[in-house]
Amino acid sequence: MDVADIPGVPDWLPDHLRADGIESLYPPQAEAVDAGVTQGENLVASVPTASGKTLVATLAMLSSVERGARSAPDEERGEVASARRGKALYIVPLRALASEKREEFEQFEQYGLDVGVSTGNYESEGGWLATKDIVVATSEKVDSLVRNDAPWLEDLTCVVSDEVHLVDDGQRGPTLEVTLAKLRQLNPDLQTVALSATIGNAEALAEWLDAALVDSDWRPIDLKKGVHYGQALHLEDGSQSELPVRNSEKPTAAIVRDTLEDEGSTLVFVNSRRNAEAAAGRLASTVEPHLTPDEKAQLADVADEIRDVSDTDTSDDLADAVEGGAAFHHAGLASGHRSLVEEAFRDRLVKVVSATPTLAAGVNTPSRRVVVRDWRRYDGTAGGMQPLSVLEVHQMMGRAGRPGLDPYGEALLIANSHDELDELFERYVWADPEPVQSKLAAEPALRTHILATVASGFANSREGLLEFLEQTLYASQTTERGRLERVMDNMIEYLEVNEFLERDGDDLTATSLGHTVSRLYLDPMSAAEIIDGLRAWKRGDGRARSESASPAADEEPPGFTTAGELADEIDDDEEAERPDPTALGLYHLVARTPDMYELYLRSGDEEEYQMLAFEREEEFLGSMPSEFDPAFEDWLSALKTARLLEDWASEVDEDEITDRYGVGPGDVRGKVETAQWLLGAAESLAGELGLGLAPAVREARVRAEHGVREELTDLAGVRGVGRKRARRLYQAGIEDRADLREADKSVVLGALRGRERTAETVLENAGHRDPSMDGVDPDATARPDENDDGASSGHGADGAEPDDEEDQSSLGDF
């Protein structure tokens, strides 16, 4: 189909596509147009990676904006129906993918369209998005917008769900599923377009969404799948070709070398972070001899940028690998690390990336060859190594081949025996992906979404709730009709006992507390844990419910005190007042909620953290389980997580934290970000319950946000200051924002080591009347000692970190 023949799109689009080198549509794209995707029809497109799914989404969104929506007439006022511009929403699974898609869609702003992206701040209606024509957001953000009654959602005319097969994911799938159901209920005429490269039962999704189906295996370049075994490649068509493994080589290195000799790049999937890092280090020695002098110079620049992201061993190891033309990629990296690796790989500067499967879903990182080196990974629930799903392996394989740069794509598994060669063909190469199955009926998912559904007004009775749930994918798939209802009733009971819902016969109403919990985007069990901990602290004892308890409706949980009873206790007993909880106590409180992924206890950790627990028992909010209680290990894992947060908020070096806890810089920042969100929620809950603890929670939250001790919280909040500069300024006698606003410029310049642009920026952000550094000489007495920056290297020690001018980041930058 010629681009000029596409119906319903803006007049400028055909010329724009031709300018991009697109004269005609790929067959799956043409099939989507024939199915009505540019004329408002629902569509599920299951087509391979690199076959043009994004253009299908673009055509749907642009035609929807162009077509607009018609407002209903108001006959009493004599109004007639009127047309208004349409509004499109593009839902992605990952924040990194949201940024990538925004950049992709911003090319249309030259034609008067406005594009926005929203991924964070769950406690927000995103009012600024109301003026945007195309909005890109994660499914979690869209869910939170629904919970916060964002009025502009009712103006949507098109929603696109990318990577829709992730409804099968036990963690994130239910949110995507419920969000799509709610958007479709909000907007009965909403056009829904769902995209995926790998759906084993695409027709089931199409039936659920009342959509036409485009199910194609067409690709613009061939994808050859096979297995490397011995000295040869064995491909799915039965052909074989020689690919020798030299004496000192591993099979992966041989494949990388062979690909380099054909001027291609390789993406290697392994099963753990440690293996990804080790593989990159080894493969750099394979790549380096193939690099040109110019490539080596460019890679050295990229390596310098990587080292600037964080002062950690992980950063150094990644930079060392990149200098050799290799890299690793996993969730433990900081976002800056990942972005630099992805960009260098797309530019074919980095020749090989070893990655965990997180890279398979999301960002655009195609390569000539994909090697699935590890097809098993550890599964704690199964107690050992388990094979990957066909869907996941095919998702990895789909990254092979880049139109315009590669003559073909090749995806290979590696066999160590002839029997394994046969097994890999049967298990993966010739197999179809598993059917996508809803995970909504799991208790954690329903607990969260039942409360949100009632609080946001989508249902106000048990019957209405059941009717809404009948619109989900789960209801369309299940043959066990009673299970959803049983789990729903159990969760209603849990929410009622915990004061989040009230029930009057069949009617359901969210309490004020329930509305707050939904708005804060908390798992109700997390909210219950936080509330119990805060109440127990205020009450002056450790009587708190177990977070997993779900007592019968006619029973009060052991030790449970309602908000009103607690207030009476406190009023009647002045001695109930206690000092404010410590930062560690609050960090531990949020670390033991289901919304925080706790750190694992390594060998030897249990004894260390058990001793710490007894030493600092008075600081914990709520009772400590017995050491013989099976829950005690999880409680200690939360303590380890809390200790990491305390170290960060005590200005301990990031590289020392990553080494001490065996994590990457991305893990540290992820834990800090989650803690900031949960502490913000705890602050709101403390305020609503009138417990008087909100100021203490706020201080712990701000310390976590900026990574500073108490005395620096105000100063570190000035944009451009951060944790290390704040310490230097403080040591120079500038203790807060007000001091900085009136500070002697020579003192500021001295404290900031003579960096004039930095000093000007900091003073401008603080509101200094004359931030210019023209003619200002640094005060030598304010300059920190190069060898002694008041370092804090121990748990909770005073002072600041050794100098690292590059690490001035605060949480908002992540």
Side-chain angles (χ1 to χ4, degrees):
M1 178 183 288
D2 189 280
V3 294
D5 297 329
I6 306 173
V9 296
D11 293 339
W12 49 262
L13 184 60
D15 288 338
H16 178 89
L17 293 175
R18 288 193 188 96
D20 277 351
I22 301 173
E23 296 285 345
S24 60
L25 299 181
Y26 289 156
Q29 296 167 340
E31 193 176 343
V33 172
D34 289 339
V37 77
T38 61
Q39 297 172 307
E41 298 297 326
N42 295 342
L43 181 79
V44 170
S46 177
V47 296
T49 301
S51 297
K53 293 191 303 296
T54 300
L55 182 55
V56 171
T58 301
L59 294 175
M61 293 190 298
L62 294 179
S63 61
S64 177
V65 172
E66 178 79 3
R67 186 171 57 254
R70 299 189 66 81
S71 62
D74 188 328
E75 296 179 359
E76 292 184 6
R77 298 172 58 181
E79 293 180 356
V80 296
S82 60
R84 67 179 186 273
R85 199 168 186 169
K87 189 180 189 72
L89 174 65
Y90 193 98
I91 302 177
V92 295
L94 303 171
R95 291 187 180 189
L97 189 55
S99 300
E100 182 181 296
K101 292 301 179 184
R102 176 190 59 186
E103 293 171 6
E104 200 168 333
F105 298 144
E106 280 176 345
Q107 62 181 305
F108 304 125
E109 292 188 338
Q110 61 183 302
Y111 303 108
L113 274 71
D114 205 352
V115 178
V117 63
S118 183
T119 57
N121 189 10
Y122 292 138
E123 190 185 349
S124 166
E125 65 162 22
W128 64 278
L129 295 168
T131 60
K132 304 298 181 183
D133 299 300
I134 297 174
V135 176
V136 183
T138 60
S139 54
E140 289 81 8
K141 178 58 183 179
V142 179
D143 184 25
S144 75
L145 290 167
V146 173
R147 297 184 190 202
N148 284 278
D149 299 320
W152 58 267
L153 288 175
E154 296 182 6
D155 298 330
L156 288 177
T157 52
C158 177
V159 59
V160 176
S161 177
D162 200 359
E163 308 288 349
V164 73
H165 62 272
L166 291 175
V167 294
D168 188 80
D169 182 85
Q171 297 294 320
R172 313 184 74 175
T175 295
L176 176 59
E177 181 179 344
V178 169
T179 298
L180 287 175
K182 288 180 177 178
L183 291 177
R184 284 161 56 78
Q185 182 171 318
L186 268 177
N187 305 277
D189 296 325
L190 181 69
Q191 179 185 14
T192 304
V193 178
L195 310 173
S196 177
T198 45
I199 306 179
N201 55 337
E203 68 287 343
L205 290 178
E207 181 179 353
W208 170 49
L209 296 173
D210 303 312
L213 174 63
V214 173
D215 192 359
S216 172
D217 58 5
W218 184 91
R219 283 176 56 104
I221 59 174
D222 287 340
L223 173 61
K224 305 173 184 179
K225 298 177 185 176
V227 180
H228 182 274
Y229 169 59
Q231 304 292 316
L233 297 182
H234 304 256
L235 299 179
E236 60 184 325
D237 62 2
S239 65
Q240 297 181 23
S241 60
E242 187 179 13
L243 202 164
V245 178
R246 294 172 182 167
N247 291 335
S248 60
E249 284 183 323
K250 298 287 188 182
T252 304
I255 295 170
V256 169
R257 172 183 49 76
D258 184 76
T259 311
L260 285 167
E261 290 170 355
D262 198 27
E263 299 183 350
S265 60
T266 310
L267 182 56
V268 180
F269 285 106
V270 298
N271 60 9
S272 70
R273 297 180 185 184
R274 181 177 298 176
N275 284 340
E277 294 178 14
R282 290 193 300 269
L283 292 171
S285 61
T286 300
V287 174
E288 193 165 14
H290 296 267
L291 298 174
T292 67
D294 182 56
E295 286 175 331
K296 289 181 179 179
Q298 292 182 65
L299 286 166
D301 292 338
V302 176
D304 288 341
E305 291 184 68
I306 287 170
R307 290 188 177 96
D308 288 345
V309 170
S310 71
D311 182 21
T312 62
D313 289 342
T314 300
S315 197
D316 288 338
D317 291 343
L318 179 60
D320 290 345
V322 165
E323 285 181 324
F328 54 85
H329 189 291
H330 57 62
L333 294 177
S335 59
H337 288 143
R338 294 196 297 269
S339 296
L340 287 165
V341 168
E342 290 157 12
E343 182 179 357
F345 190 61
R346 281 194 292 266
D347 292 342
R348 297 291 169 97
L349 193 57
V350 165
K351 309 298 184 184
V352 58
V353 171
S354 57
T356 54
T358 53
L359 189 60
V363 291
N364 180 29
T365 50
S367 63
R368 172 75 58 79
R369 270 185 174 139
V370 165
V371 177
V372 183
R373 195 196 76 178
D374 300 335
W375 55 277
R376 296 184 183 92
R377 71 162 160 241
Y378 181 77
D379 183 346
T381 62
M385 303 296 286
Q386 294 295 312
L388 299 176
S389 69
V390 180
L391 188 151
E392 193 167 6
V393 170
H394 282 201
Q395 194 76 8
M396 299 174 194
M397 289 178 158
R399 294 288 166 188
R402 182 175 179 180
L405 285 181
D406 293 319
Y408 62 90
E410 201 165 72
L412 305 171
L413 295 115
I414 296 178
N416 296 312
S417 68
H418 199 278
D419 286 346
E420 191 172 71
L421 171 67
D422 293 339
E423 180 182 3
L424 291 177
F425 267 97
E426 293 289 343
R427 183 184 289 276
Y428 296 116
V429 177
W430 291 330
D432 292 325
E434 299 86 354
V436 168
Q437 295 290 333
S438 167
K439 301 299 189 293
L440 181 61
E443 288 194 10
L446 271 187
R447 180 174 64 230
T448 296
H449 291 296
I450 284 174
L451 176 59
T453 299
V454 175
S456 54
F458 282 88
N460 56 19
S461 66
R462 180 185 176 280
E463 182 181 356
L465 190 57
L466 196 56
E467 286 179 2
F468 171 76
L469 292 174
E470 288 292 334
Q471 305 304 310
T472 62
L473 175 63
Y474 178 84
S476 73
Q477 288 187 320
T478 186
T479 56
E480 189 183 352
R481 304 305 300 179
R483 183 185 174 208
L484 187 64
E485 188 171 359
R486 287 196 305 274
V487 178
M488 181 191 77
D489 285 335
N490 288 340
M491 293 302 96
I492 290 174
E493 185 177 9
Y494 174 86
L495 294 168
E496 185 182 10
V497 166
N498 284 277
E499 302 182 309
F500 301 139
L501 286 184
E502 291 178 344
R503 182 162 46 180
D504 182 8
D506 189 56
D507 293 339
L508 295 173
T509 307
T511 63
S512 174
L513 191 60
H515 277 287
T516 299
V517 170
S518 178
R519 175 176 52 81
L520 293 170
Y521 207 70
L522 284 177
D523 181 332
M525 190 173 278
S526 292
E529 181 72 30
I530 291 170
I531 290 168
D532 287 347
L534 294 174
R535 284 173 171 170
W537 182 270
K538 194 66 179 179
R539 192 170 51 231
D541 62 32
R543 290 180 295 144
R545 292 164 291 171
S546 167
E547 69 176 9
S548 61
S550 296
D554 59 349
E555 295 179 3
E556 283 195 18
F560 176 65
T561 307
T562 66
E565 292 168 340
L566 178 61
D568 290 341
E569 283 186 21
I570 295 170
D571 288 342
D572 293 342
D573 185 3
E574 293 299 325
E575 293 182 1
E577 293 295 328
R578 300 180 68 185
D580 285 338
T582 65
L584 177 74
L586 290 166
Y587 295 154
H588 183 256
L589 175 63
V590 299
R592 62 183 192 246
T593 66
D595 280 311
M596 174 72 82
Y597 290 103
E598 301 167 350
L599 295 175
Y600 291 110
L601 292 179
R602 297 181 295 184
S603 177
D605 279 352
E606 188 163 351
E607 182 178 355
E608 176 186 349
Y609 287 100
Q610 191 168 338
M611 290 178 60
L612 179 66
F614 292 126
E615 287 171 9
R616 303 182 68 171
E617 184 173 2
E618 294 300 315
E619 298 183 50
F620 301 125
L621 286 77
S623 58
M624 184 194 310
S626 161
E627 59 191 283
F628 304 106
D629 188 328
F632 189 51
E633 185 174 342
D634 285 341
W635 198 91
L636 290 180
S637 294
L639 179 56
K640 181 178 180 179
T641 308
R643 192 66 178 274
L644 180 151
L645 293 166
E646 184 186 44
D647 278 354
W648 170 259
S650 299
E651 302 171 51
V652 175
D653 259 347
E654 187 178 15
D655 63 338
E656 186 169 346
I657 292 174
T658 57
D659 182 63
R660 181 177 292 166
Y661 297 96
V663 297
D667 297 308
V668 175
R669 296 169 185 187
K671 292 285 183 290
V672 170
E673 183 178 21
T674 302
Q676 188 198 8
W677 160 52
L678 291 171
L679 288 164
E683 184 181 341
S684 295
L685 292 170
E688 176 154 342
L689 294 169
L691 299 178
L693 298 175
V697 180
R698 183 181 310 117
E699 181 173 286
R701 174 180 60 80
V702 173
R703 285 185 59 194
E705 176 182 358
H706 299 297
V708 296
R709 298 174 69 79
E710 296 174 33
E711 66 270 19
L712 297 187
T713 53
D714 186 51
L715 197 55
V718 176
R719 186 168 179 81
V721 174
R723 64 198 312 236
K724 293 185 179 179
R725 290 174 187 155
R727 178 58 61 190
R728 295 175 192 142
L729 290 166
Y730 189 88
Q731 290 174 338
I734 300 169
E735 298 186 358
D736 55 27
R737 188 185 300 259
D739 286 351
L740 186 58
R741 191 178 300 121
E742 303 298 329
D744 184 320
K745 293 193 289 185
S746 65
V747 173
V748 173
L749 188 59
L752 299 181
R753 305 194 168 186
R755 292 175 169 83
E756 293 184 2
R757 288 184 59 188
T758 298
E760 288 178 348
T761 299
V762 165
L763 288 178
E764 183 177 355
N765 291 338
H768 197 284
R769 60 183 179 276
D770 179 20
S772 172
M773 285 290 156
D774 290 345
V776 177
D777 294 322
D779 184 337
T781 63
R783 186 180 179 90
D785 191 310
E786 296 286 350
N787 298 315
D788 181 11
D789 205 16
S792 165
S793 59
H795 286 295
D798 292 318
E801 301 174 68
D803 181 55
D804 175 9
E805 188 62 31
E806 301 304 328
D807 185 13
Q808 296 300 330
S809 48
S810 65
L811 188 61
D813 301 320
F814 303 148

